[in-house]
Amino acid sequence: LYNRLAYVLWFLEGPLPSIAAHLRELNLAEKCAPNRSLARARSTHAIAMSALPHWSRSLAFGLSGLQTARQIGDRWAEGQAGHFYGAALYGASRFAEAAEHLESAMQILRQTGDRWEENGVRYHLA
């Protein structure tokens, strides 16, 4: 619920108004064992921190979200986390690494059939 609320606020009001909902999502997800919600919350935190811009935190949480997704073997979560980690790498001016992660995320999301996330990756690649 908080993840979706953060998305709505991000697109309607901008990054800063969405951060309160996002932090609530992250705090709740951190109380659970590794799962899709935790991977998503961590990778979403990468994007949220890139809006500030707080690059060291953004990159740490992006990588953590990607590692969590891989640990639990969730391909969709890996694609989504790879997308947000790649976008954070791009924002931190690490372009070659960003392109590598975004290309990988695009392929994974294409395989899972999530066109919305795949198109988001394409936007960041462009």
Side-chain angles (χ1 to χ4, degrees), residues 7 17 21 25 29 32 46 48-49 53-54 56 70 79 91 93 102 112 118 126:
Y7 266 73
E25 169 201 11
C32 301
M49 292 298 99
H54 192 332
S56 60
R70 288 178 177 160
S93 300
L102 291 169
T112 65
E118 182 186 344

Side-chain angles (χ1 to χ4, degrees), residues 3-14:
N3 179 270
R4 298 292 96 187
L5 179 59
Y7 266 73
V8 168
L9 289 171
W10 182 283
F11 287 113
L12 291 179
E13 299 181 20

Side-chain angles (χ1 to χ4, degrees), residues 41-125:
R42 287 178 175 170
S43 64
T44 304
H45 194 62
I47 292 295
M49 292 298 99
S50 71
L52 292 181
H54 192 332
W55 299 117
S56 60
R57 187 171 178 95
S58 177
L59 295 174
F61 273 84
L63 181 58
S64 177
L66 183 57
Q67 290 171 336
T68 300
R70 288 178 177 160
Q71 175 188 353
I72 63 173
D74 188 323
R75 291 291 284 169
W76 178 87
E78 184 179 347
Q80 189 267 347
H83 171 202
F84 286 2
Y85 181 49
L89 286 164
Y90 180 81
S93 300
R94 292 169 55 179
F95 303 123
E97 289 174 88
E100 180 182 319
H101 282 281
L102 291 169
E103 288 283 350
S104 176
M106 187 172 62
Q107 291 175 356
I108 291 169
L109 291 167
R110 183 179 305 128
Q111 292 168 0
T112 65
D114 189 335
R115 296 289 294 181
W116 171 263
E117 287 288 341
E118 182 186 344
N119 287 335
V121 176
R122 290 178 184 279
Y123 169 81
H124 286 111
L125 273 170

Side-chain angles (χ1 to χ4, degrees), residues 23-35 38 41-42:
L23 289 174
R24 181 69 176 140
E25 169 201 11
L26 184 62
N27 287 336
L28 289 172
E30 291 285 347
K31 293 179 182 181
C32 301
N35 61 38
L38 180 60
R42 287 178 175 170

